Each structure stands twice: as structure tokens, then as C-alpha cells.
Amino acid sequence: PLERIHPLALKAAQAARCAGDQGKFWEMHARLFSKQRELEPWSAHAQAVGVDETRFGRCMEDESVQKRIRANVEGAVQAGVSSTPTFLLAKSTEDGLRVVRRLRGAAPYSMFKSEIEAVLAEVGR
């Protein structure tokens, strides 16, 4: 969430995560993007996507959810993510994943295809 661009971005990320806990992440994600100027009250979105509003409300009040989101942001920064969208192509190593390409910005399918093919060729060696 880019809070410097949108003051409710963190809460919107939290709403998506809370809806996701009930299997409705993408429904909430789509709704929030379509209603960016009408984000509050959050309960209206919960009702619209069909999640349990009481459970959703408890999740929205849970500060640990925001802490996990902030930790994810920090992990993205450490991985070299500096813009949205950013796509990371990685390969498996004994120590976990190693990022081998960062693709920044919207790009055509052909660019993704060629980058993925290049990574696969390298891994095959």
C-alpha cells in the first residue's frame, strides 16, 4: 500500500486481507479499486462482497494485521521492489529463492515471455 499516495491505502490492504481470510480477497480487491473515492465505511464493502461482517470488523481492528502488511512491504523493499507493478522472477536455491530478474511497470506479454524463457534457459544450464 502506497500511503503517501492514498491515505487509506493501508486500511484498504487490511480490508482485502480480512476479506481474504474468508475467501473473498479478489472480490474485495476489485470492489475497493472500483470505489477508491468511497472507501469508508469498510463494513459496506464487507457486506457487498458477502463476508461475515462481525469477523471482518474484528480483523479490521486487529493491529497485528497492519503489522503483517507493513512487514510484507519491508520484505518487498528488501527484494528491490520500488514501484508498482513489479514482478520478480526467481529460482530455487538451497537457501530459498534468489531473484534473478525484476520487471518493473506494465509490459506486454511478449516481454514477460522472453524474460521467463531467458530465466528458464539459465536454470537449464
Side-chain angles (χ1 to χ4, degrees), residues 37-49:
R37 297 188 191 282
E38 307 162 30
L39 292 176
E40 295 178 304
W42 302 103
S43 59
H45 303 295
Q47 184 177 39
V49 300

Side-chain angles (χ1 to χ4, degrees), residues 48-114:
V49 300
V51 297
D52 178 287
E53 292 177 59
T54 302
R55 187 173 157 201
F56 177 84
R58 281 194 307 266
C59 181
M60 288 296 288
E61 293 172 10
D62 185 348
E63 291 180 18
S64 71
V65 176
Q66 284 190 11
K67 286 180 184 176
R68 287 195 314 268
I69 293 168
R70 288 188 190 283
N72 287 345
V73 169
E74 182 58 32
V77 169
Q78 289 176 1
V81 175
S82 60
S83 62
T84 56
T86 296
F87 302 90
L88 304 176
L89 301 181
K91 68 179 198 175
S92 238
T93 68
E94 290 180 10
D95 300 323
L97 293 175
R98 183 173 68 81
V99 174
V100 294
R101 297 268 200 297
R102 281 176 195 82
L103 310 173
R104 292 181 173 95
Y109 169 79
S110 59
M111 200 266 301
F112 281 97
K113 184 176 186 288
S114 66

Side-chain angles (χ1 to χ4, degrees), residues 16-57:
R17 179 162 292 188
C18 291
D21 288 347
Q22 298 183 49
K24 298 282 189 170
F25 174 86
W26 290 111
E27 291 88 338
M28 182 65 82
H29 178 276
R31 179 168 174 86
L32 295 177
F33 267 94
S34 72
K35 305 276 187 183
Q36 290 183 45
R37 297 188 191 282
E38 307 162 30
L39 292 176
E40 295 178 304
W42 302 103
S43 59
H45 303 295
Q47 184 177 39
V49 300
V51 297
D52 178 287
E53 292 177 59
T54 302
R55 187 173 157 201
F56 177 84

